[in-house]
Amino acid sequence: MESLFAIAIGILTAAAVYMFLARDLPRVLIGFIMLGTAVNMLILAAGRIGSIVPALVAGNESALTAAAANPLPQALILTAIVIGFGLAAFALMLIVKSQRILGTVMPEEMQEAEGDVAPQALPAPAPARRKDAA
Amino acid sequence: MEPTTLVLLPAIPEIFLACAAMALLMIGVFIGDKSLRLVSWLAVGSFVVTAVLLYAFTGWGGRELAFDGLFVADPFALFAKLFILLGSAVAIILSMDYLERENTARFEYPVLIVLATVGMMMMVSANSLISLYVGLELQSLALYVVAAIRRDTIRSTEAGLKYFVLGALSSGMLLYGSSMIYGFTGSIDFAVLAERVQGEASVGVIVGIVFLAAGLAFKVSAVPFHMWTPDVYEGAPTPVTALFATAPKFAAIALFCRVMMEPFGGIADQWQQIVVLISIGSMILGALAAINQTNIKRLMAYSSIGHMGYALIGLAAGSEIGVRGVLIYMAIYIVMNVGTFAIILCMRQQGRMVENISDLAGLSKTHPMMAVALTIFMFSMAGIPPLAGFFSKLYVFLAAIEAQLYTLAVIGVVSSVVGAFYYLRIVKLMYFDEPVETLDRPIGREMGAVIAVSGLFTLLFFVWPAPILNAAAQAAASLFAG
Amino acid sequence: MTHLLALPLLMGIVASLAGTRLPPRHAPLLGAAVAAACFAAYGFLGLGMADGVAVEAAFWSVPALGIGGGLRLDGLGLVFALLISGIGFFIFLYAHRYLEGDKRLTRLSVMLTLFMTAMLGAVTADDVIVLFIFWEMTSLTSFFLVGYDHEKPGARQAALQALLVTAGGGLVLLAGLLMLTVATGTSSLSAIIAMRDIVLTDPTATAAMLLIIVGCFTKSAQIPFHFWLPNAMAAPTPVSAYLHSATMVKLGIYLLARMNPLYQDEALWQSILTWFGLGTAALGALLALRETDLKRILAYTTLTALGTLTLLIGAAPTLTLTAAMAFLVAHALYKAAMFMIAGIVDHETGTRDARALGGLRKAMPATAIATVLAALSMAGLPPFIGFLGKELIYESLLEAGPAALLLIAGMLFVNGVNVAVAGLMAIRLFFGGQRPTPARPHDPPAGMLAGPWTLAALGLAGGLLSGAVGLWIVGPSAGAILGAPVTADLYLWHGFNLVLGLSGLTLATGGALYLGWPRIQPWLAGIAAIDRFGANAGYEKGLAGIIRLSEVSTALIQHGDLRGYLRTLFLVTAAGLLLTLLLRDGFALPGFDSGTVDIRALAFLGIAGGALATVFARTLFGAVVCSGLVGFATALAFLFFGAPDVAFTQFAVETLLVAILAFALVKMPIRRADDRTARDRVKDGGIAIASGVAVTALLLAVLATPFDSRLSDWFGNASLTDAFGRNVVNVILVDFRALDTLGEITVLAIAAFAVLALLRPMLQETRKS
C-alpha cells in the first residue's frame, strides 16, 4: 500500500516537474500547484499511512487510540495547503498582469539578460537556445 | 515538552509590528497614494519602536520561548533582528524619493516591507521546521510583490516573475526537505531534533538537510542557487534591490545558522562539506563573474553572491567563533551595502537614473564627497584594512583556520584578491578617469545622511568596535547554550 | 619614553588630516617638519637602547577583536624607522621644488605623509593585525601615489598593477600570520617568535612559512612578482625615490628579517630565500642593461639590491646578516640620492634617456659632485659605505659552503652591473662632450639638491666612521635578525686577501660592461622574447585569462533564461539526491507486510492518472481540468487515510483554484498546445522522470525505517487534558502550533493584499477608460 503511494507520488512529481519546465506561464503555474500537492502527499506519507480512523479523541476516552491516523502531518498539510493557495493566487495575478501589460505569457519573450552585457563573449549555448525559441 | 499556558510575551515586538502593518494599511487605504511619505515615516517609526520593544523583552540575557516552544527569543535572534530592522528602515527611507520621482508612489510599498520584516523576524526566531517555513513564506510573498510592483517596465515584470518562480520552487524544496526530516525522525521541533539527530545520521536526514540547505541557499543567493540574483537585482527598481541585498540576506543567513547549529549541530561533521561547497562556489563565482560587468546593480549582485560565500565560511567552521564571524560579517555587510546603494540611487543624469559603472568616471572631480564615500565602501568590500570590511573577513578566516578548513581559507583569500580587482577598478575610474557627463546635484537630504553615517561607520569601525563585537559574541554564545 | 614610540604615528595621522587644508605651496613643508620630528623621536629612543633592549609601548589594543595591539622598537626597527623618516624629510623638500606650481601637490603631500606614517607603523608594530593594517596602508597610498599622473594610461595601469600585486600579496601574508596566531594563541609578533618550538611543530608550520614568504616577495618585488616595480616608475620621481628605492620595497625585506629567528634553521626557508634572491638579483642586473630610461635602469638595479638582501637573509651565517644590514643602509643612501638625481636631470634637461645625455658637469656642477659621490658608493669603492657593504657580502658568501662558488659568480655579475650603472650615471651623464637637450640645463634650487648632497655625504661619512656604524646600527639590527647579540666590527681595510681580489674583479667587470654598454644595450633590447615571455606578459595574460573566464562562465551560467535555470535546478537536485542515496547505500524498500492493498489504492490511481493526463492534455484548458482531477483525487486520499479535515480543505481550495484559473485564463490563449520542440520534450521529460524516480526512492527509504511516533503520541495524549479539544488536528492548529497558523493567516492576508496591489492600477485604468 505504502509502496504504491510512493510510486503515485513519484509520477505526480514527474508530471509536475514536466509542467514546470513548460514555455508558457499558465502551464508553469499548473506545475507549481501540482508540485505543492506532491509535497503535501509526501508529508502525509512521511507520517505513515494506513489508518482510516480520523484523529479524534473518542467520547469516552482521554487520549487518542493507537488505531487513529497520525494527527501532526494533517495539521502541517493544512498549513501548507493554505499557503500554497495564497501563492498560487498571487502567481495567477502575475500572469494576468504580464498578459495585460506585455501581451505575452512566455518568459522567453520578455528576456533581457547577460547577452547584452558581453555580446562578443556569448559562446554556443545562448544562440542555440534562441534558435529553439524561434 | 511541558504543557504550559500560551506564552506570548517574548513575541510582543513581532505582534506589535504586525499590528502596525495593519494600521499603516488602513491609513494608506484611507488617504490614498498621497500618504506615501507619511506611511513611510510611520513605518520607520514602528521599526524603531519594535527595536526598543526587542530590547525591553529580550535584552542580551537569556533565552525565552513563546507559542509552545515554536518561537524562541534569544540574543542571537535579537542581534539579527536589530540589523534586519535597520536594513528595512533604510530601504524605506531610500525609496521615498525614488518612488515619487519615478511615478510609482504607492502606499503599499512601505506596508509590504513592514510585512516582509515581520516574516524575517519570524524566520530568525523560528524554533521548528514548519514555523521556519511559514516565516520564510511570509517574507518571500511580501518580497515577490515588492519585486513586481513597478508595472511599466519589461525588466521589472520579468524580474518579479523570475524571482517568484525560482523563489517558490526553493520554498517548495525547503518544505520537501522538512517532510523528509519529519519522516525519518518523527519530529519537526528543533529541540527534539537536536536530541534525536546524533552520531551517524541516517541518509534520509542528510538528504533532508541537503534540501533544507538548497532552499536556504536560494534565499541567501549562494551557488548553485544564485541564478536569480543578477537578473533580479538588475531588473528590480533600485530601492527594491537595496532591500533585497540587505535585510532578507541577514534573515536568511541567521536562519541558516540556527537550522544548522541547533537541531543539526550534533552532526556538524556530516553537513559541513555541503556548506563548504556552497561557500567555495559562491566566492569563486562572485569574484569571477563580477569582473566583466558594466551595470553597477549587476555588479552588486555578484558582489553579494561573493559576500555570502565569505559569510558561509563562518558557518562551515561550525563553531561558536564561526557563528560570531558570520554575525559580524553580516552586520558590516549590511551597512556597506546600504551606503553603496544610497550612492547608486544618487546616480542620475538630467533626472534619469543611470546604472553603468562608467557613469562614475571622474566622480572625484564632480562629487568629491560621494567619491570618498564610495571609495570607502569599495575598499571595505575588497577587505582592505583598517576599514570595517577587513575585520569581517578577518573573523571568518580566523574561524576557518581554527576549524582546520585550510582549503576554504586559501580559496577565500585567492578570491578576495580577484574580487579586489573589480572594486578597485571602480576607485580607479572615479579618481583617474575624466567625467563624461556629470551626475545631477544636489542629492537628497536623506540620501546624504545615509551615505555619511554608513561611510563613517565603515571608516571608523576599528576605533570602537567593542559594542558590535561583544554583542555578536553573546549572540553566538546563545546559539550554543540552548 | 613609551609614549614617544606612538608619537610619530599620531603626528603623521594628524598632519595628514591637517595637510588637506594647506595650499600646495605649504603642504610639503608640513610633511618635512613631521618627518624631521619623527627622526628626532626615533633618534632619541635609539640613543637609549644601545644595550639592545627593545622599547615597547601600548597602542590600539582591542581585546574584543583579539588584537593585543602594541608597538615595539628594536635594532632592526630602528634602522628602518630612521631611514624612513630621514629620507622622508629630504623627499618632502625635494617634492616641494620638483612639483612647484602643481595644484595637486597638496594631495601628494598628504598621501606621502600617510605613506610615511604607515611605513613607520609597519616597522614598529608588534601585533600581526596592526602590522598587516599598516602593510596594506602602504599599498593603498602607493596606489594613489603611482597614479598621480593619471592622464597617462601607463600610470593608471601601473597603479592598479602595483596595488593588485602588493595588496593581494598582503592578504596571503595575513593568512600566514593568522596561522601563526592560531598556533600560538597570541597575536604579538615578539611572543610568536619567542614560541619558536610551538610554531615549528604545528602541522601548518610549512604552509604558514610559505604564505609569509609569498607576501614578502610581492612587496619586495622578488621573482616572479618583480614586474610591478619597473612599471611603477610611472610615478613622479619623488615617489619613486621614496617608495621604490628606499622604503616600501624594503618592507618585505624587513619582515623576512623579522621572521628570520623563527625559520633560520629551516632548510626550505634558506634555500627559497637564497635562490630566489639570487635569481631576482641576476635578472634585475640583466634587464637593467636593456634600458635607456634612467629611472627604469635604476629600478632594475633596485631589484638587484632587493634580491641580494633576500639572498643574504637566506644564507644564514651571522656574517651574512651583518652584511645584509650594512648593504641595506648603504643602498638606501645611494639609491635615494640617485633617484633624486635622475629626477633633477629629467627636470632640468627635459629628458631622462641615457643615450641623449652627456657632459652636464659644466651646466650643473653641484649636481655633478653629488652624483659622483653617490656613484662611488654605488660602485663600492673605498672609503664609501658601499665598499663596506660589498666587501662584507663577498666575505660572508665565501663561508656559505658548497653553493658559495655559484653565489659569488652571480654576485660578481650583479655588482658589476651596478658598477656600470654607477658609471653611466656619473661619467656618461656629466663628463665628455655636452649633448643638446630639450631644455637648457642648470643646477636646481637648493631644496632639490639637499637630499642628494646629504645622502651622498652620509655614504662617505658612514664609510669613514665604519666603527660607529657597526656599533650603533649594524650590530643591533643584525642581532635582532638573528635573535642573539651580534658584535659587528666593521673596518674598511682588510688587507690584501681574496675579498679584495673579488672587489677588483667586480670593478673590472663593471668597467667592461660600462664601455660595452652602447653596444650591449641595443642588442639586449632587441631580444623580443624577453618581453613576450616575461613576468609582465604573464600578468597581462593572467588578467586577460581571468576576464575571459569570467565572460565565458557568466554566459554559460547566467544566460537569463528562466527555463534554463529551472532545468539546472531540477537536474542538480535530482542527481544530487540519487547520488547521495547511491553512495551512502540508502536505497531501501519497505516490507510487503506493511499494509495490504485495498480499495483505497484507487485514489492513488486517480492521482497518477490525473497527473499523466495533465501532461498529455492538448490544450491549456484541458491541462487545467486534468490538474483539477489530481486535486480531487488527493482529497479522496486524505479522506481515505483518516484526514477528513484536510480532505474538505483540499476540496474547497481545489474547487476555488480551478474556478479562478478558468476565469482568469479566459483572456489567454487557452486553446494553446504545449509548444515545446521534440528535443525539449525529451530533455524535460528526462529531468522530470529523474525527479520522480528520486522522490519515490527517497520516500521508500523513509517508509522502510521505523517511525518515531513519540511527538504525535504526545499530541494525542495532551489534546483533551491540556487543551480540552477532541479533534486533535484542530487542537494542534489552534493551540500547540498557534504560531504557524497565525503566520499562515498572515500569508493569506498578504496574498490578498498583493493581488489587490497588483490589480489596483489595472482597475483604475479600466475605470478611466
Side-chain angles (χ1 to χ4, degrees), chain B residues 3 106 128 131 162 227 231 395, chain C residues 65 558 560 565 722 737 757:
Chain B
R106 309 274 305 271
S128 105
S131 309
K162 240 177 217 168
M227 300 101 139
D231 299 346
Y395 284 98
Chain C
L65 281 170
Q558 216 60 49
Y565 294 162
D722 287 356
R737 305 199 67 88

Side-chain angles (χ1 to χ4, degrees), chain B residues 171-391:
Chain B
S171 304
M173 281 188 184
L174 195 123
L175 189 58
Y176 181 74
S178 304
S179 66
M180 283 297 114
I181 291 168
Y182 172 64
F184 277 101
T185 62
S187 178
I188 48 173
D189 288 314
F190 288 176
V192 184
L193 283 172
E195 281 167 30
R196 295 193 189 167
V197 182
Q198 294 284 353
E200 185 69 24
S202 73
V203 186
V205 173
I206 298 286
V207 171
I209 293 177
V210 170
F211 270 89
L212 272 185
L216 290 171
F218 178 90
K219 300 292 174 194
V220 300
S221 60
V223 170
F225 303 97
H226 63 281
M227 300 101 139
W228 60 277
T229 323
D231 299 346
V232 172
Y233 270 42
E234 189 186 0
T238 311
V240 174
T241 311
L243 174 68
F244 282 5
T246 52
K249 289 276 187 299
F250 202 136
I253 284 270
L255 181 63
F256 211 155
C257 287
R258 193 191 287 281
V259 171
M260 290 322 220
M261 298 317 307
E262 276 193 344
F264 306 119
I267 52 164
D269 52 326
Q270 291 163 64
W271 54 254
Q272 196 177 44
Q273 287 307 316
I274 303 169
V275 181
V276 167
L277 284 179
I278 292 178
S279 165
I280 290 180
S282 307
M283 288 189 294
I284 294 180
L285 185 107
L288 265 188
I291 287 176
N292 68 339
Q293 299 305 323
T294 54
N295 180 298
I296 190 141
K297 280 160 77 183
R298 256 190 123 73
L299 177 87
M300 289 306 287
Y302 287 111
S303 146
S304 82
I305 292 173
H307 280 301
M308 291 308 119
Y310 292 111
L312 287 175
I313 291 181
L315 179 57
S319 60
E320 194 178 319
I321 296 180
V323 173
R324 185 189 70 172
V326 176
L327 290 176
I328 297 173
Y329 200 100
M330 291 310 296
I332 292 173
Y333 165 84
I334 282 206
V335 178
M336 293 188 304
N337 263 271
V338 159
T340 312
F341 273 103
I343 290 177
I344 294 176
L345 274 164
C346 293
M347 289 172 62
R348 305 177 158 275
Q349 284 168 355
Q350 288 152 15
R352 193 172 43 82
M353 289 292 294
V354 289
E355 295 177 354
N356 277 333
I357 294 172
S358 57
D359 292 321
L360 288 169
L363 194 69
S364 67
K365 297 189 185 70
T366 57
H367 293 70
M369 287 321 283
M370 208 154 109
V372 167
L374 192 53
T375 307
I376 290 174
F377 295 132
M378 291 296 116
F379 280 157
S380 177
M381 289 199 193
I384 289 172
L387 300 169
F390 159 69
F391 293 102

Side-chain angles (χ1 to χ4, degrees), chain C residues 135-170:
Chain C
W135 180 286
E136 292 291 64
M137 259 176 74
T138 64
S139 302
L140 215 55
T141 42
S142 89
F143 170 70
F144 288 101
L145 289 169
V146 173
Y148 182 77
D149 290 321
H150 53 71
E151 60 280 2
K152 295 184 202 149
R156 295 197 300 253
Q157 292 300 331
L160 195 58
Q161 186 185 53
L163 182 58
L164 275 178
V165 175
T166 57

Side-chain angles (χ1 to χ4, degrees), chain C residues 502-692:
Chain C
L502 286 169
S503 276
L505 204 56
T506 307
L507 272 182
T509 317
L513 283 172
Y514 172 71
L515 292 176
W517 185 79
R519 251 160 307 168
I520 297 172
Q521 187 274 328
W523 175 68
L524 277 174
I527 306 174
I530 299 178
D531 294 318
R532 207 176 318 136
F533 300 108
N536 196 39
Y539 166 86
E540 301 285 347
K541 271 186 204 139
L543 214 55
I546 287 177
I547 291 173
R548 174 86 195 131
L549 184 64
S550 148
E551 284 169 354
V552 171
S553 63
T554 40
L556 208 65
I557 303 173
Q558 216 60 49
H559 39 63
D561 177 22
L562 181 59
R563 240 162 24 108
Y565 294 162
L566 287 172
R567 273 188 192 147
T568 320
L569 274 185
F570 281 121
L571 200 62
V572 166
T573 333
L577 215 163
L578 286 173
L579 265 180
T580 315
L581 284 177
L582 196 69
L583 291 179
R584 290 183 149 243
D585 203 17
F587 287 107
L589 283 176
F592 280 105
D593 56 335
S594 67
T596 47
V597 179
D598 56 40
I599 189 76
R600 295 181 291 176
L602 277 181
F604 305 154
L605 204 63
I607 293 172
L612 290 175
T614 314
V615 168
F616 293 109
R618 295 223 23 249
T619 63
L620 186 55
F621 194 73
V624 171
V625 173
C626 294
S627 77
L629 267 181
V630 176
F632 291 118
T634 320
L636 271 184
F638 285 131
L639 197 60
F640 288 162
F641 291 101
D645 295 342
V646 187
F648 294 132
T649 314
Q650 176 78 24
F651 268 127
V653 164
E654 202 57 44
T655 316
L656 210 55
L657 259 183
V658 172
I660 302 176
L661 264 176
F663 174 72
L665 293 183
V666 167
K667 295 219 163 186
M668 288 181 205
I670 46 168
R671 305 232 162 265
R672 181 173 205 153
D674 190 352
D675 57 355
R676 277 179 266 199
T677 59
R679 224 178 107 207
D680 268 5
R681 280 172 186 277
V682 173
K683 253 198 250 176
D684 294 350
I687 293 172
I689 289 170
S691 310

